[in-house]
Amino acid sequence: MASWSPTTYLAFADERSRPFFDLTARVAAIAPDRVADLGCGPGQLTASLAERWPQAQIDGIDSSPEMIEAAAAYATDRVHFTLADLADWQPDRPLDVIVSNATLQWVPGHRDLLPALLERLAPGGWLAFQVPGNFDEPSHVLLHDLAADPRFAAETRGLRRPASVDAASYLTDLAELGCRVEAWETTYLHVLAGPDPVFRWISGTGARPILQALGVEQRIEFEQVYKARLRAAYAERPSLGGPEGGGTVLPFRRIFVVAQRQS
């Protein structure tokens, strides 16, 4: 199993946090008592939920020891962090809100987990999640095509691969479970600065398990080839430059779902 780097992940903290706030803005819970963030990562976004709902106890759950260690810096008397797999974690009593930001795509068969997540909610509780929908974009197609190359295939074969479906499918899943559901999709156009920005972005998320599976020399070769292919697919645009020079546009489609369990 891959380990996760909070530092690498937070290199684009502003861009990664934007979908979290767009998601939670649609949760109409007025004064929840218990809120959980499943896949809390390094914790800074989880901590913001304590400001959104000042009476709530907030629980951040993540399966990465590295992320939970980083999140501890945000712990308070109302914000707690626990190392656990979200598929197995059980709260000691029903929750009012469950949030999951860019995490469920890593859970195999996560659509089958939706009934269990709803069972962890009190009647009238809210389930809100966001998953990437960009797995057909060059960033991922090039990644997996290269991983299947004979030079790297033996080490990368069988690694867990993230996946999601469209908003309409999630809406149908949750409506059939008796929820009121709002679902939508947004494509963000992130303008990234610096050298090889798309590689730096994906090396903290989707590419990390593949990169970690390779030996040192293999990884160096893989990164050189992958960076070159990404530069060809995502050309720098001088017109988007600021003080650091040009900018590179990374289109990033994301899928949002907010569901309320009925009483």
Side-chain angles (χ1 to χ4, degrees):
M1 182 179 236
S3 63
W4 299 95
S5 167
T7 301
T8 304
Y9 182 83
L10 289 171
F12 298 98
D14 180 63
E15 290 85 355
R16 295 194 198 280
S17 65
R18 202 173 309 160
F20 178 90
F21 292 112
D22 289 347
L23 174 70
T24 56
R26 301 300 301 170
V27 178
I30 303 301
D33 180 55
R34 291 285 305 280
V35 176
D37 181 7
L38 304 185
C40 64
Q44 85 283 8
L45 296 178
T46 310
S48 74
L49 297 175
E51 300 175 9
R52 167 77 186 276
W53 292 301
Q55 305 302 317
Q57 291 290 321
I58 313 294
D59 294 307
I61 311 300
D62 206 288
S63 62
S64 165
E66 296 85 0
M67 290 296 192
I68 290 296
E69 182 179 0
Y74 297 95
T76 69
D77 59 341
R78 290 198 300 115
V79 181
H80 308 276
F81 296 97
T82 301
L83 179 66
D85 188 317
L86 68 86
D88 302 324
W89 175 77
Q90 291 290 340
D92 56 6
R93 57 193 172 94
L95 302 164
D96 300 301
V97 179
I98 293 175
V99 173
S100 185
N101 183 59
T103 297
L104 290 180
Q105 75 275 7
W106 288 105
V107 179
H110 64 267
R111 294 171 71 186
D112 296 331
L113 183 62
L114 296 178
L117 293 178
L118 293 177
E119 289 175 1
R120 299 173 194 176
L121 290 171
W126 296 82
L127 170 64
F129 63 88
Q130 176 269 125
V131 290
N134 65 332
F135 300 116
D136 292 331
E137 290 295 313
S139 55
H140 287 75
V141 173
L142 293 171
L143 172 69
H144 295 293
D145 284 351
L146 185 57
D149 184 285
R151 291 172 290 176
F152 313 111
E155 286 73 22
T156 63
R157 188 178 297 116
L159 292 177
R160 183 181 297 184
R161 186 167 171 174
S164 64
V165 295
D166 57 75
S169 297
Y170 291 119
L171 185 149
T172 299
D173 289 344
L174 288 159
E176 290 179 348
L177 292 169
C179 295
R180 293 175 55 191
V181 190
E182 179 182 11
W184 71 98
E185 300 182 9
T186 297
T187 298
Y188 297 87
L189 298 179
H190 298 304
V191 179
L192 309 180
D196 294 309
V198 179
F199 174 80
R200 288 187 288 114
W201 175 289
I202 198 171
S203 66
T205 53
R208 190 166 180 84
I210 290 173
L211 295 175
Q212 288 196 318
L214 300 173
V216 174
E217 293 184 0
Q218 281 183 309
R219 180 170 180 169
I220 292 171
E221 181 180 9
F222 187 99
E223 289 186 357
Q224 289 175 340
V225 176
Y226 186 40
K227 286 178 180 179
R229 293 181 182 181
L230 288 174
R231 285 194 293 269
Y234 299 92
E236 185 179 65
R237 302 186 189 181
S239 62
L240 297 176
E244 299 178 359
T248 301
V249 176
L250 174 65
F252 203 118
R253 173 174 166 250
R254 293 187 183 269
I255 299 157
F256 299 81
V257 183
V258 176
Q260 185 179 26
R261 177 179 174 179
Q262 297 303 283
S263 301

